[in-house]
């Protein structure tokens, strides 16, 4: 059973248990519709008047009250029906009209005492003298046991909630806690439900009590019946009991990954050595040359078709490094392949990756982590930008993975540029690399900064590689350069010869930085024999390239064909022939050790390629996105974007287009939010998140129309900012103050919070894998699953309140 299925079923079962318990707890707390319909036990006294009359031989008057509001236990008369809950009991003069006792924790079930306290004293005395045997009259016995049962039920209810919440966090230790809470909760609910069941059965002996003359006996007229809340309690117990097994499976599965990593470490594998760049090659700390012998490792998410790419573009992603059971399942097969690196295309920084990363490290496997996310989390190849929200997303991912010793590199983009007309986007890629490198330096991270390019025409792919390695200041500085260039190359098909690579070898023979095939493995001429592997990893190619990443471990569909080396069915992995052939080819390699680190020289950062018809990127780069400036601007603009929907990314783009059109019609423009990587001009607000950009242009339109009220509405998506400067000149001065240095570059810092939704992007966050951001410093604070769990708890607390008044 797969981990997601286990935890999903366990969560559903514990959730159902919790819902049932919530209904149980609201029973008889008042006489509104829902609470009055839920009770642990019911005592019907409507026939007691006839029974008492038969026993005494005299007519009975004044025993009952018809006043539904008459206070209880004040000798105002008994009620036709008493219903008992966990917190109080209620007396009803008919099916619905009644009054409840004061609610308190652990209300005791003492039916005779409740009845006699409502009777006139003479009837109370008669009743006490008449009913002399049976558990019904033993108030201390019934009260003590039901009081104890209440606390057991409370403990069980809390355990059910904790089992649900800890299970949602999807962490190995917390899965064990979920199992523990489910076991404890089921045990306490079982004992509590058993006590209540026994007490009710004992009290039901009153149902058979007979009074009156021997010649004409009649029933006493007091009937005890089980309430529906007891059935809810048993059902809640059953659900929580059944949830123990999937919780336990999830915990054991998660632990398996840790055990595997621990065993590997126990076998003598210590922390992985750092890998750094020296000249155009990679080296481990001990000076040994390092070549990437890798495989792409990410399940394919939902995809959308892009005619510019042979692969389908991802629209969603599946983070492969959060499921420790899946990692433990796959790790033996990665080890069979003999890989030393996996490439992961998209990750969720809010989730925990400890188990998988630890297991991979223990197996000596590095990771290349792509920082982009599908759609709204990547540099848009059609309208490229480098904004606060993208920088924050990238930094959040770096923060999530910076504690691991097996992060080889972070890719700032993947196949953003696919044609000469889009090469202006390279300025934004280079700006991203600059800021990511500066941040990595600030946190003392040795991880490399990379980019993975689609293999297009040499007229723009070679300039792209050189541009990402160049120094825009001509001072031989690497501050704006990447560390490693990846090429997604599929030109070797079938059983081709080494000459298939002659062109690319010539193109990169003099490249200054490490380069590798960030994807390889052509499927257009099956079967995949992988005979290119020994060619790539031996001279002369090993003098030029630093390894390769085979595509793909998981199945992936594209217009070029079907990829994938295994079939996964739950916990079962079935390798195919592609896997076997790659295993053999990787296994037969003897990786080159030359040149030595001392002979590798140092990298030169040449001048950047000149612009021409197929290379459009300017050497003037976008500034570092400045969150403080954007936050300042958002607070002083006169017309603020206040969306009517939480899905702001669905409307921001169209509203910006509308506002820019209105500005144009009134003699204005949107130059302040427009970046251009070809001309090297960047609007002074272009680095802000889309929401701030929208607020800015809305305000420009509002000011341009002399603050006409209707000019700050935009179908209810804008509101006048009462804290904005009162004059147009004041507003302009405030904006200029916020944006005092819009072209600045600096070392970015970790985001203090979200800076807005990501811009809509068509640049792929992943490649053909079609899949897809800081393990929490405090797990509760940053985990999305935690927020979901807290949301569930909040919803059901509201539900409990609603049921109280329903």
């Amino acid at each position: 059973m797969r981990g997601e299925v286990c935890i999903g079923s366990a969560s559903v079962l514990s959730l159902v248990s919790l819902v049932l318990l919530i209904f149980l707890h609201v029973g008889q707390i008042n006489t509104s519709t829902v609470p009055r319909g839920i009770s642990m036990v019911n005592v019907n006294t409507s026939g007691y008047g006839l029974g008492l009359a038969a026993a005494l031989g005299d007519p009975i008057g004044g025993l009952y009250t018809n006043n539904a509001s008459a206070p209880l236990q004040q000798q105002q008369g008994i009620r036709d029906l008493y219903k008992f809950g966990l917190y109080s009991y209620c007396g009803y003069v008919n099916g619905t009209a009644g009054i409840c006792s004061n609610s308190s924790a652990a209300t005791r079930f003492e039916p005779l005492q409740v009845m006699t306290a409502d009777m006139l004293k003479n009837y109370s005395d008669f009743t006490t003298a008449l009913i002399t045997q049976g558990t019904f009259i033993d108030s201390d016995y019934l009260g003590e046991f039901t009081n104890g049962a209440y606390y057991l039920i409370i403990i069980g209810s809390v355990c059910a909630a904790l089992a649900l919440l800890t299970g949602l966090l999807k962490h190995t230790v917390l899965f064990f806690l979920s199992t523990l809470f489910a076991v404890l909760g089921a045990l306490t609910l079982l004992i509590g439900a058993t006590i209540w069941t026994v007490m009710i059965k004992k009290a039901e002996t009153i149902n058979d009590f007979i009074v009156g003359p021997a010649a004409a006996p009649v029933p006493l007229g007091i009937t005890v019946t089980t309430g529906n809340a007891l059935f809810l309690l048993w059902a809640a117990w059953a659900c929580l009991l059944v949830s123990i097994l999937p919780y336990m499976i999830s915990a054991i599965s998660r632990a398996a990954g840790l055990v595997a990593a621990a065993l590997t470490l126990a076998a003598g594998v210590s922390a992985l050595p750092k890998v750094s760049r020296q000249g155009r090659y990679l080296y481990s700390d001990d000076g040994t040359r390092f070549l990437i012998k890798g495989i792409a490792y990410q399940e394919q998410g939902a995809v959308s078709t892009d005619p510019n790419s042979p692969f389908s573009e991802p629209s969603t992603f599946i983070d492969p490094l959060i499921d420790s059971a899946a990692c433990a399942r796959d790790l033996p097969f990665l080890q069979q392949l003999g890989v030393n690196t996996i490439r992961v295309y998209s990750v969720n920084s809010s989730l925990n990756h400890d188990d998988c990363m630890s297991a991979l490290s223990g197996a000596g496997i590095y990771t290349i982590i792509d920082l982009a996310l599908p759609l709204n989390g990547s540099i848009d190849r059609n309208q490229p930008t480098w904004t606060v929200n993208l920088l924050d997303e990238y930094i959040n991912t770096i923060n999530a993975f910076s504690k691991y010793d097996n992060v080889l590199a972070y890719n700032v983009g993947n196949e953003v540029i696919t044609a000469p007309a889009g090469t202006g986007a390279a300025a934004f890629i280079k700006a991203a690399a600059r800021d990511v490198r500066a941040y990595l330096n600030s946190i003392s991270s040795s991880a490399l900064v990379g980019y993975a390019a689609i293999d297009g025409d040499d007229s723009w792919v070679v300039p792209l590689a050189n541009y990402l390695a160049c120094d825009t200041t001509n001072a031989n500085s690497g501050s704006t350069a990447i560390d490693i260039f990846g090429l997604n190359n599929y030109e070797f098909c079938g059983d081709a010869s080494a000459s298939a690579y002659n062109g690319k070898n010539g193109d990169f023979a003099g490249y200054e930085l490490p380069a590798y095939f960030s994807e390889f493995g052509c499927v257009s001429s099956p079967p995949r024999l992988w005979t290119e592997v020994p060619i790539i990893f031996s001279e002369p190619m090993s003098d030029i390239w630093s390894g390769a990443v085979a595509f793909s471990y998981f199945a992936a569909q594209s217009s070029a064909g079907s990829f994938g080396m295994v079939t996964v069915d739950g916990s079962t992995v079935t390798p195919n022939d592609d896997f076997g052939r790659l295993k053999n080819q990787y296994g037969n390699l003897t990786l080159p050790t030359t040149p030595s680190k001392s002979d590798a020289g140092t990298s030169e950062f040449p001048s950047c390629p000149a612009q021409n018809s197929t290379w459009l990127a300017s050497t003037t780069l976008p500034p570092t996105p400045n969150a403080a400036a954007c936050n300042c601007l958002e607070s002083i603009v006169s017309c603020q974007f206040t969306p009517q929907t939480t899905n702001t990314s669905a409307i921001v783009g169209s509203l910006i287009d509308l506002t820019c059109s209105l500005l144009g019609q009134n003699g204005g423009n949107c130059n302040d939010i427009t970046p251009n990587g070809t001309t090297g001009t960047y609007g002074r607000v272009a680095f802000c998140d889309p929401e701030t950009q929208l607020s800015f242009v809305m305000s420009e339109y509002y000011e341009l129309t002399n603050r006409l009220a209707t000019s700050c509405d935009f179908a209810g998506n804008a509101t006048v900012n009462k804290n904005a400067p009162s004059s147009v000149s004041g507003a302009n001065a405030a904006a200029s103050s916020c944006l005092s240095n819009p072209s600045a570059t600096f070392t970015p810092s970790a985001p203090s919070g979200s800076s807005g939704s990501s811009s809509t992007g068509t640049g792929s966050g992943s490649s053909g894998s079609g899949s897809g951001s800081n393990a929490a410093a405090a797990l509760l604070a940053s985990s999305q699953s935690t927020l979901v769990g807290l949301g569930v708890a909040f919803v059901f607390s509201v539900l409990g309140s609603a049921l109280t008044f329903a």
Side-chain angles (χ1 to χ4, degrees):
M1 183 181 291
R2 191 167 180 172
E4 293 90 341
V5 176
C6 284
I7 190 58
S9 59
S11 298
V12 169
L13 287 166
S14 54
L15 176 60
V16 171
S17 177
L18 183 58
V19 172
L20 294 173
L21 290 168
I22 289 173
F23 277 96
L24 166 70
H25 282 283
V26 301
Q28 301 308 306
I29 60 176
N30 59 44
T31 59
S32 55
T33 303
V34 173
R36 75 164 178 260
I38 302 173
S39 61
M40 294 295 291
V41 58
N42 305 319
V43 180
N44 190 320
T45 61
S46 60
Y48 182 54
L50 296 177
L52 186 59
L56 297 177
D58 290 317
I60 297 299
L63 178 64
Y64 295 93
T65 181
N66 293 321
N67 182 6
S69 301
L72 297 170
Q73 300 189 21
Q74 298 296 319
Q75 297 183 345
Q76 299 290 309
I78 66 171
R79 321 303 153 110
D80 291 334
L81 178 66
Y82 293 92
K83 292 185 175 183
F84 292 82
L86 293 178
Y87 296 89
S88 60
Y89 73 91
C90 302
Y92 298 90
V93 299
N94 55 44
T96 59
I99 190 172
C100 296
S101 63
N102 293 327
S103 297
S104 62
T107 291
R108 297 160 64 95
F109 174 50
E110 298 172 331
L112 182 62
Q113 182 174 315
V114 166
M115 288 174 54
T116 55
D118 278 344
M119 297 177 185
L120 295 173
K121 188 172 187 312
N122 59 327
Y123 289 131
S124 173
D125 293 339
F126 290 149
T127 299
T128 302
L130 179 62
I131 310 173
T132 58
Q133 59 184 3
T135 306
F136 183 83
I137 67 172
D138 192 344
S139 294
D140 287 340
Y141 177 80
L142 293 174
E144 290 294 337
F145 274 97
T146 54
N147 178 271
Y150 164 83
Y151 290 105
L152 291 169
I153 294 169
I154 280 290
I155 294 172
S157 302
V158 172
C159 287
L162 291 175
L164 173 63
L165 292 176
T166 52
L168 288 172
L169 293 174
K170 295 185 178 181
H171 188 274
T172 301
V173 174
L174 294 180
F175 277 144
F176 281 106
L177 285 178
S178 297
T179 305
L180 179 61
F181 285 135
V183 170
L184 180 59
L187 179 61
T188 53
L189 291 179
L190 173 63
I191 299 173
T194 301
I195 291 174
W196 263 105
T197 302
V198 171
M199 293 302 102
I200 293 172
K201 289 301 180 183
K202 285 181 174 289
E204 284 177 351
T205 57
I206 197 68
N207 299 353
D208 300 325
F209 202 91
I210 302 297
V211 296
V218 297
L220 179 63
I222 299 175
T223 305
V224 177
T225 56
T226 301
N228 52 12
L230 185 60
F231 299 111
L232 294 178
L233 179 56
W234 279 113
W237 165 77
C239 289
L240 197 57
L241 178 69
V242 176
S243 74
I244 293 173
L245 180 60
Y247 273 135
M248 188 177 297
I249 292 174
S250 298
I252 293 173
S253 297
R254 291 275 174 160
L258 292 178
V259 171
L263 290 175
T264 306
L265 289 171
V269 179
S270 58
L272 286 181
K274 293 180 181 179
V275 175
S276 58
R277 170 176 60 81
Q278 181 69 31
R280 64 177 300 170
Y281 302 107
L282 300 176
Y283 293 91
S284 298
D285 275 347
D286 62 0
T288 303
R289 186 175 172 195
F290 182 88
L291 283 90
I292 297 168
K293 186 170 66 168
I295 191 167
Y297 182 75
Q298 188 138 24
E299 289 186 74
Q300 188 173 45
V303 296
S304 57
T305 301
D306 182 346
N308 296 315
S309 173
F311 296 103
S312 298
E313 295 285 345
S315 58
T316 64
F317 70 94
I318 302 168
D319 188 335
L321 300 179
I322 60 172
D323 188 341
S324 61
C327 290
R329 174 201 67 202
D330 296 331
L331 186 58
F333 294 92
L334 297 175
Q335 290 174 307
Q336 287 180 41
L337 286 173
V339 298
N340 62 15
T341 307
I342 62 170
R343 181 181 173 193
V344 179
Y345 293 86
S346 296
V347 293
N348 186 335
S349 66
S350 68
L351 301 180
N352 187 284
H353 305 85
D354 290 353
D355 294 347
C356 288
M357 291 298 287
S358 176
L360 290 167
S361 176
I365 298 175
Y366 293 87
T367 57
I368 297 173
I369 306 292
D370 283 31
L371 297 174
L373 298 178
L375 295 182
N376 294 335
S378 55
I379 298 173
D380 184 338
R381 66 167 62 101
N382 295 325
Q383 294 181 316
T385 58
W386 178 235
T387 54
V388 166
N389 50 294
L390 281 177
L391 174 59
D392 285 355
E393 174 197 302
Y394 282 22
I395 289 178
N396 281 335
T397 298
I398 291 170
N399 287 344
F401 284 84
S402 62
K403 61 183 175 180
Y404 305 125
D405 65 2
N406 55 333
V407 176
L408 176 65
Y410 296 106
N411 282 338
V412 296
N414 178 76
E415 299 187 353
V416 177
I417 301 170
T418 58
T423 53
F428 301 91
I429 300 170
K430 195 168 180 66
R434 173 200 65 206
D435 293 338
V436 167
R437 163 50 55 213
Y439 183 74
L440 289 172
N441 289 342
S442 73
I443 62 172
S444 301
S445 171
S446 63
L448 307 173
V449 179
Y451 175 78
I454 195 170
D455 190 7
D457 189 82
D458 289 350
S459 64
W460 64 268
V461 170
V462 174
L464 170 62
N466 291 329
Y467 180 85
L468 294 179
C470 76
D471 175 20
T472 56
T473 65
N474 294 319
N476 196 27
S477 168
S479 62
T480 64
I482 60 172
D483 295 305
I484 183 169
F485 181 82
L487 186 67
N488 298 337
N489 181 285
Y490 292 91
E491 63 185 336
F492 190 109
C493 297
D495 193 17
S497 66
S499 62
Y501 288 126
N502 284 350
K504 284 294 176 285
N505 289 340
D507 292 337
F508 283 85
Y511 195 55
E512 293 289 341
L513 300 179
Y516 73 110
F517 289 158
S518 41
E519 292 174 9
F520 78 101
C522 172
V523 293
S524 62
S525 300
R528 294 203 285 182
L529 302 176
W530 302 107
T531 51
E532 68 266 46
V533 167
I535 298 172
I536 296 171
F537 287 87
S538 62
E539 294 181 342
M541 287 194 68
S542 61
D543 294 333
I544 302 169
W545 304 94
S546 291
V549 174
F551 190 85
S552 149
Y553 180 82
F554 294 104
Q557 301 298 319
S558 79
S559 58
S562 298
F563 295 80
M565 298 180 216
V566 299
T567 300
V568 177
D569 183 11
S571 60
T572 302
V573 176
T574 304
N576 60 25
D577 291 342
D578 272 6
F579 179 96
R581 287 188 288 264
L582 180 63
K583 172 185 172 183
N584 291 335
Q585 292 289 358
Y586 270 171
N588 290 330
L589 286 178
T590 299
L591 296 180
T593 58
T594 56
S596 67
K597 189 173 184 178
S598 59
D599 293 335
T602 59
S603 293
E604 298 290 328
F605 301 97
S607 58
C608 298
Q611 291 176 304
N612 56 43
S613 60
T614 59
W615 182 252
L616 307 178
S618 168
T619 55
T620 301
L621 305 182
T624 302
N626 188 335
C630 298
N631 292 335
C632 172
L633 189 65
E634 180 66 36
S635 68
I636 60 92
V637 291
S638 55
C639 180
Q640 291 177 321
F641 173 48
T642 52
Q644 299 299 304
T645 175
T646 56
N647 186 17
T648 57
S649 62
I651 62 172
V652 167
S654 59
L655 283 174
I656 288 179
D657 291 342
L658 171 63
T659 310
C660 289
S661 175
L662 292 172
L663 278 170
Q665 295 169 23
N666 288 270
N669 59 61
C670 277
N671 291 347
D672 277 329
I673 66 168
T674 303
N676 190 316
T678 298
T679 62
T681 55
Y682 307 97
R684 57 181 182 153
V685 191
F687 59 73
C688 289
D689 56 274
E691 285 91 340
T692 301
Q693 292 181 16
L694 179 53
S695 289
F696 181 82
V697 293
M698 282 179 167
S699 298
E700 286 201 316
Y701 176 65
Y702 180 55
E703 301 291 354
L704 197 60
T705 57
N706 295 317
R707 298 193 173 185
L708 186 65
T710 55
S711 296
C712 185
D713 182 73
F714 295 92
N717 288 299
T719 305
V720 174
N721 180 10
K722 296 180 180 179
N723 297 320
S726 58
S727 66
V728 174
S729 60
N732 290 335
S736 296
S737 176
C738 291
L739 303 168
S740 59
N741 191 5
S743 301
T745 59
F746 53 88
T747 299
S749 58
S752 58
S754 174
S755 298
S757 66
S758 300
S759 59
T760 301
T762 55
S764 174
S766 71
S767 179
S769 65
S771 345
S773 292
N774 177 352
L779 190 56
L780 273 173
S782 65
S783 171
Q784 290 180 349
S785 296
T786 307
L787 297 179
V788 172
L790 293 176
V792 170
F794 173 75
V795 167
F796 284 105
S797 65
V798 173
L799 174 61
S801 300
L803 293 175
T804 299
F805 297 103

